[in-house]
Structures are given as C-alpha cells and as structure tokens.
C-alpha cells in the first residue's frame, strides 16, 4: 500500500499540483493532508478549489493546521463586533487578511469541521498518529531533535507518527518509534523550486517513508506576489517569503520575533498586530532579507 502525504501548502497551487502529479504517478492509493493549506502565497482561492476537487476524486484524510485556526478565530472576532485583534494591512497580519478576503464561509466552515490530529489505521496495516503540530496543539513544533518530540513518541499508542508545521523534512527514531515529517510543499526550506512531499509504503510489518521533490515554477509564484497584490498587504513578511521561495532560506520567524522585540523596546504597551512597518524593515535589514520591490531579481525574470 502506498499513501501520499502533503503538508504546509500555504496557498501555493503550483507546488500543490506538482506534488499531486508526482504522487499520482507513483501509484498512491490514499492521501494524507496535514494542514496549513492557505496563506503566505497569493492563491488561497485556487488552492481551496483544487483541494475540494482532489477530495472528490481521491480517498483523502484531511487535518486542520494552525493557519486554518487563525482564519476561524478571525471570523469569530469579526462576528463578535470586537475591533481589537482584527487584521490590518502590515507585515504582522496583512498576509492573513489577504487570505481571509479570498475565502468564503464554506471554506471556514470546512476548516472548523477538520480535526487537528487523527490516528490513520487502514485495515491490515500498523496505525499511524497524524498531526499538524502535535496531538493537542496545532502550533506546537515537533523538531527532529526536540525533547517534546521524544515525549510525544513515548506517549502515543502507535509506533509511527507523522507531523508537519516545522517545514523540516526527515525522520527521527526514538525508543523504536518512527517520527516522519514531509516538509512544506508550498514554501520549502532548502530546496527552492522543488516542492517536498512523501510516500509511506506499508506492509503488515511496518511503514517505510520515501521523500520526493516535485519541480514547479517558483519564480512565477514570487512574481505573482506582486502581480496579484499580496506584496501590498504585507511588504516585509512577503519579502521574506519570496526569499524562501527563491533561495530556500527561511527567516520569517526570526524577522517577526526581532520586529516585535524592537517594537516593545520602544513602547512596552504596543499591541500586535498594530505595529509600524519600520520594525519589520529593521529586522529584515538585520537578517539580510532583500527588498524585492526594489530589485531586478524578480521583476526582470
């Protein structure tokens, strides 16, 4: 039995389709989708429409990621009439706002229907614990060398665990249990222009992972961040995403942490996400993130 696994698509429809084409060509019979379908690139609508199509034509098991949880929470906030925390155009929340504006209630209802974890147990094969982050927290990072990863492997009732969210491809073995992460299909670390995905091949004795890389047009995605207006919503956040798309270097989390620290250093009462773009610019300069708005690296391609 061969099962395709895709995680962290982040609205990148071209990477998503490339992964599906590769997994279909490898004869996958079922598919696991581990969450974070949307945000960070400009194709949220196209990605959701294609996900629904895949679910109608393939046997799929679908989890909710932290990005979907952000969208759910934002709808509840807006419906409550509360103003504090509503997303605005800046690098703290503009990327999510852009995504939210392209989703429908049907999409958000779908997100709410999804679990954040499940046990995948096809008849005749060993069961696998599947999560976006961890079993009970979609935002928990289970890094390959993390103590919390070892703790979760000790706690679960299965000998196999597949998680996403870290964007780091690979496996870890702890006390005879195998942890697997397929990486981020949509914004890959270390493999620009190549979308990672995974096949798990099962026998009655166990599961064996095979990691694949599916080529796609990453420069087109970077250009469309300009053409489709995403850059206008979250300039420095998207600059950092473009850096990852084109180089494989991921500085997003570091940039956000530095920007927030700079903001609080000037005003300890400042609140996220209502912050000046200058803090992101300072962080980007510190980390060496290019300003692709003023660069020929993208526009002349």
């Amino acid at each position: 039995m061969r099962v395709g696994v895709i995680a962290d698509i982040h609205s990148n429809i071209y990477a998503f389709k490339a992964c599906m084409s590769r997994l279909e060509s490898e004869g996958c019979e079922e598919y696991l989708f581990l969450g974070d379908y949307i945000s960070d690139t400009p194709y949220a609508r196209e990605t959701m429409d294609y996900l629904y199509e895949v679910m109608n034509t393939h046997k799929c098991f679908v989890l909710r990621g932290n990005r979907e949880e952000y969208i759910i929470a934002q709808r509840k906030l807006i419906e409550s009439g509360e103003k504090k925390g509503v997303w605005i155009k800046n690098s703290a929340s503009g990327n999510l706002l852009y995504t939210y504006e392209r989703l429908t209630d049907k999409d958000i209802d779908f997100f709410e229907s999804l679990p954040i974890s499940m046990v995948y147990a096809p008849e005749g094969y060993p069961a696998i614990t599947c999560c976006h982050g961890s079993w009970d927290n979609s935002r928990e990072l289970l890094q390959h060398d993390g103590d919390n990863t070892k703790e979760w492997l000790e706690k679960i009732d299965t000998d196999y665990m597949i998680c996403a969210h870290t964007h780091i491809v690979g496996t870890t073995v702890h006390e005879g249990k195998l942890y697997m992460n397929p990486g981020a299909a949509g914004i890959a670390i270390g493999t620009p222009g190549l979308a990672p995905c995974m096949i798990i091949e099962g026998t009655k004795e166990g599961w064996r992972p095979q990691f694949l890389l599916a080529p796609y047009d990453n420069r087109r995605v970077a250009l469309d961040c300009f053409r489709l207006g995403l850059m206008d919503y979250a300039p420095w956040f998207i600059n950092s995403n473009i850096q990852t798309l084109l180089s494989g270097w991921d500085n997003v989390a570091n940039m956000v942490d530095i920007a927030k620290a700079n903001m609080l250093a000037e005003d300890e009462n400042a609140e996220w996400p209502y912050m000046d773009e200058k803090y992101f610019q300072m962080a980007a300069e510190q980390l060496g993130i290019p300003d692709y708005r003023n660069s020929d690296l993208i526009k002349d391609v």
Side-chain angles (χ1 to χ4, degrees):
M1 181 178 190
R2 294 166 72 81
V3 180
V5 185
I6 301 177
D8 292 281
I9 296 164
H10 289 286
S11 292
N12 190 337
I13 187 64
Y14 297 104
F16 186 8
K17 287 186 173 182
C19 287
M20 281 302 301
S21 178
R22 180 67 191 278
L23 293 172
E24 288 171 336
S25 73
E26 295 285 343
C28 290
E29 303 159 60
E30 299 183 359
Y31 292 84
L32 299 175
F33 294 102
L34 303 184
D36 276 13
Y37 309 102
I38 42 83
S39 81
D40 299 346
T41 61
Y43 316 110
R45 179 72 268 137
E46 295 87 344
T47 297
M48 291 308 302
D49 290 343
Y50 184 61
L51 177 61
Y52 297 142
E53 177 184 329
V54 169
M55 291 174 63
N56 284 331
T57 54
H58 300 72
K59 187 172 183 179
C60 300
F61 300 84
V62 184
L63 295 182
R64 183 172 75 228
N66 59 293
R67 296 293 183 176
E68 289 77 52
E69 295 199 328
Y70 299 161
I71 296 291
I72 293 168
Q74 185 70 187
R75 180 171 71 170
K76 290 178 179 177
L77 188 66
I78 292 170
E79 289 176 346
S80 75
E82 176 65 49
K83 300 298 182 182
K84 183 179 178 180
V86 172
W87 294 330
I88 62 172
K89 290 184 180 181
N90 69 359
S91 286
S93 62
N95 163 57
L96 293 167
L97 174 62
Y98 179 96
T99 299
Y100 187 87
E101 291 177 352
R102 283 149 183 82
L103 299 174
T104 66
D105 282 336
K106 172 190 171 183
D107 300 317
I108 304 174
D109 290 344
F110 170 67
F111 295 156
E112 286 187 320
S113 75
L114 300 175
I116 65 168
S117 53
M118 61 168 283
V119 174
Y120 175 65
E123 185 175 355
Y125 297 91
I128 305 171
T129 299
C130 301
C131 316
H132 179 74
S134 68
W135 181 261
D136 59 9
N137 183 353
S138 69
R139 296 188 68 182
E140 185 174 2
L141 290 162
L142 297 193
Q143 303 289 4
H144 292 289
D145 58 353
D147 289 338
N148 61 332
T149 304
K150 297 173 184 177
E151 291 169 3
W152 274 111
L153 287 169
E154 292 167 9
K155 284 193 289 188
I156 61 176
D157 294 328
T158 67
D159 290 331
Y160 299 89
M161 189 174 195
I162 302 176
C163 298
H165 191 44
T166 69
H167 294 200
I168 304 296
V169 176
T171 62
T172 293
V173 177
H174 176 67
E175 295 189 354
K177 295 186 176 184
L178 178 62
Y179 166 75
M180 299 169 273
N181 194 307
I187 306 183
I189 296 176
T191 58
L194 298 169
C197 53
M198 180 173 74
I199 293 172
I200 51 172
E201 187 162 6
T203 68
K204 293 181 180 180
E205 288 70 40
W207 294 96
R208 179 177 63 87
Q210 178 185 355
F211 297 100
L212 306 175
L213 293 171
Y216 75 96
D217 190 349
N218 60 323
R219 288 188 176 272
R220 175 174 182 172
V221 178
L223 277 167
D224 280 349
C225 289
F226 291 93
R227 293 169 176 163
L228 301 178
L230 178 56
M231 178 66 79
D232 297 333
Y233 275 67
W236 283 105
F237 189 91
I238 298 305
N239 268 311
S240 189
N241 281 345
I242 290 175
Q243 183 187 43
T244 307
L245 286 166
L246 297 180
S247 72
W249 288 96
D250 181 8
N251 282 306
V252 173
N254 287 337
M255 182 187 67
V256 170
D257 288 343
I258 293 170
K260 185 181 290 188
N262 289 339
M263 175 186 71
L264 293 174
E266 288 192 9
D267 180 3
E268 63 181 14
N269 297 315
E271 294 183 347
W272 186 275
Y274 307 110
M275 57 191 295
D276 195 286
E277 199 69 16
K278 70 179 183 181
Y279 299 113
F280 287 97
Q281 181 174 352
M282 292 163 57
E285 290 173 353
Q286 182 176 333
L287 293 167
I289 298 170
D291 188 347
Y292 291 99
R293 293 169 296 177
N294 301 317
S295 171
D296 293 334
L297 292 175
I298 297 294
K299 295 180 180 178
D300 288 348
V301 172

